[in-house]
Amino acid sequence: MPSSAVAASAAGLCEFIDASPSPFHVCRTIAEALETDGFVRLDETRAWPGTGGRYYIVRGGSLVAWADPEQAGPFRVVGAHTDSPNLRVKQHPDLTVAGWQLVRLEPYGGAWLNSWLDRELGISGRLSVREGTGLSERLVRIDEPILRVPQLAIHLSEDRRGVTLDPQRHVNAVWGVGSERAAFLDFVAEAAGVDPRAVLGWELMTHDLAPSRVIGAGRDLISAPRLDNQGTCYAGLAAFRAAVENPGDAVPVLAVFDHEEVGSQSDRGAQSELLPTVLERIVLARGGGRAEFLAAVAGSVCASGDMAHATHPNYPERHEPSHGIDINGGPVLKVNQNLRYATDAVGAGAFALACDRAGVPMQRYVHRADLPCGSTIGPMTAARTGMPTVDVGAPQLAMHSAREMMGAADVTAYAAALAAFLAP
Ligand code: ZN
């Protein structure tokens, strides 16, 4: 059986994920934890305090937190992403076919569509609501099993080997029967306690309602949705909180971004000016100038945390020989010669040192050269900030499935390594 520390962080991760069905909810979950540690939310439209302290900002589904009691740089940054592939609601969602009431959905990011079939799905996201002459934002979350994308019967498939799913036709969800056409958005607005006529915009997505579980005969595995990349959001938050309590020679920063799964190009994605702007404002608020900011960044390092591919027992041939990644084998350093990962020798050294100081083993991942490698926020964060950046992760299986899997002990080891990285 796992140690009590491992069991506690595995349970903590399950709780974090179940509280966070959308990127907006991830930010709220992190913000609630930070506020219990005395962090104060700053407003990007206002001047920031000239004294150091514990602060964070939220921009949509992205959040940046830092603690600078003594100095304004250099920085140690742990980055992650808050979004996960899923099925999202179209602008005119209502559809009736053959007596079924459907909600029109479309894939967000590289969702493994087969994994979304035959699950009881809830809805979450945010609404933009008219208030007087202005707008307010309202988070919404419906945990009732209202939606399901039904699979085709095997007897109706051509060769009984499964069907290729068409993202346009095959992922609409059933939510009722009968000819009376209900308005799905009215239903969501009412669940959020909002007048449906006041809802002017929305980002709504589905989530699997099965709770995250610690599984396996030895209780050493975690079965959950959105491990990519809430596994890192959770471990990064734990690491950040630890580094704030026991800081090293740098300002610890936690930066979690929305929109990684669709390329990060938005006002709040990793390709935006969000992180460099926040870091510059930290220096400016303390009375420093642009020269001090640039000097602080030049001495900074970033760890881009995203999940890594453990060697799959049913497909071992899909992995690079002699670079096997073990579940519960420790944090993973990700290297790609074509810079799908940002890791260079300097960043690799910084993370290896952190693992060493944390007393956890480090594994080295290389993708097969004949398969397309995924990417992370690492290369863009490096390019946007000029910081040496290292891509790291924790091992998992079934990446981009509605239900993913990782090792319980890896949560603790990953958080310990990131904490040591944040407090050099
Ligand atoms: Zn990811």
Side-chain angles (χ1 to χ4, degrees):
M1 283 291 159
S3 73
S4 59
V6 166
S9 49
L13 172 57
C14 290
E15 212 175 288
F16 182 100
I17 290 172
D18 292 347
S20 313
S22 78
F24 313 108
H25 290 85
V26 173
C27 291
R28 190 170 72 178
T29 303
I30 293 176
E32 283 172 0
L34 292 175
E35 297 212 351
T36 64
D37 290 354
F39 278 76
V40 176
R41 180 170 174 171
L42 299 182
D43 183 341
E44 286 195 86
T45 66
R46 300 270 177 86
W48 290 0
T51 50
R54 298 179 173 193
Y55 301 113
Y56 73 98
I57 60 122
V58 177
R59 195 188 285 185
S62 300
L63 176 150
V64 184
W66 65 97
D68 61 335
E70 303 295 337
Q71 74 214 78
F75 305 101
R76 278 287 174 130
V77 182
V78 163
H81 65 89
T82 58
D83 60 324
S84 302
N86 54 24
L87 301 177
R88 298 199 171 186
V89 177
K90 292 185 176 178
Q91 292 295 298
H92 292 294
D94 297 310
L95 175 67
T96 304
V97 179
W100 295 94
Q101 291 176 3
L102 299 167
V103 176
R104 288 187 176 97
L105 300 176
E106 63 183 308
Y108 171 85
W112 251 148
L113 296 182
N114 62 310
S115 68
W116 284 87
L117 305 179
D118 298 342
R119 291 176 182 274
E120 286 75 54
L121 303 175
I123 283 284
S124 73
R126 66 173 177 172
L127 307 175
S128 182
V129 181
R130 187 204 310 269
E131 227 173 65
T133 55
L135 292 172
S136 70
E137 177 190 318
R138 190 73 66 94
L139 292 201
V140 55
R141 169 175 192 165
I142 302 173
D143 274 340
E144 295 299 314
I146 50 175
L147 299 170
R148 173 172 167 150
V149 184
Q151 177 130 238
L152 185 68
I154 194 170
H155 318 85
L156 301 178
S157 77
E158 274 138 19
D159 56 7
R160 300 205 172 192
R161 291 176 64 84
V163 289
T164 304
L165 294 169
D166 177 340
Q168 171 62 23
R169 294 184 297 145
H170 297 153
V171 299
N172 293 322
V174 163
W175 77 299
V177 286
S179 55
E180 195 174 314
R181 193 179 161 96
F184 182 69
L185 288 169
D186 290 0
F187 173 83
V188 173
E190 277 156 21
V194 175
D195 177 355
R197 290 164 303 178
V199 176
L200 303 183
W202 56 89
E203 289 159 87
L204 293 172
M205 59 203 77
T206 54
H207 60 279
D208 180 16
L209 289 169
S212 303
R213 299 287 299 271
V214 176
I215 65 163
R219 295 285 181 271
D220 46 8
L221 298 168
I222 296 170
S223 170
R226 304 183 294 280
L227 288 172
D228 173 15
N229 191 13
Q230 291 188 30
T232 305
C233 291
Y234 176 78
L237 172 64
F240 177 71
R241 296 173 86 177
V244 168
E245 295 305 327
N246 287 298
D249 292 332
V251 174
V253 178
L254 177 69
V256 293
F257 300 96
D258 199 353
H259 295 154
E260 190 270 349
E261 299 291 358
V262 291
S264 298
Q265 197 163 27
S266 70
D267 64 313
R268 55 189 185 268
Q271 291 207 49
S272 74
E273 45 51 70
L274 174 59
L275 180 59
T277 296
V278 168
L279 299 182
E280 183 163 3
R281 289 191 69 175
I282 293 171
V283 176
L284 296 178
R286 298 289 286 271
R290 180 125 181 112
E292 284 82 7
F293 162 64
L294 294 173
V297 165
S300 302
V301 192
C302 173
S304 153
D306 206 338
M307 300 302 280
H309 300 294
T311 304
H312 197 301
N314 294 347
Y315 306 86
E317 73 285 357
R318 299 294 173 102
H319 298 269
E320 173 67 22
S322 79
H323 290 72
I325 299 294
D326 296 333
I327 281 278
N328 287 329
V332 179
L333 176 81
K334 302 195 276 186
V335 179
N336 182 266
Q337 300 304 336
N338 296 298
L339 288 187
R340 302 292 291 163
Y341 304 134
T343 307
D344 65 2
V346 175
F351 191 64
L353 265 183
C355 289
D356 207 37
R357 283 180 45 228
V360 298
M362 187 188 85
Q363 312 190 72
R364 293 177 187 264
Y365 181 77
V366 171
H367 206 70
R368 280 187 69 102
D370 54 0
L371 291 177
C373 185
S375 192
T376 67
I377 62 157
M380 12 192 136
T381 306
R384 289 294 305 171
T385 61
M387 284 181 205
T389 300
V390 54
D391 266 298
V392 304
Q396 72 160 94
L397 293 185
M399 194 178 282
H400 288 198
S401 168
R403 194 87 181 167
E404 303 175 323
M405 189 162 102
M406 73 178 290
D410 283 327
V411 185
T412 330
Y414 192 24
L418 293 175
F421 177 87
L422 281 171

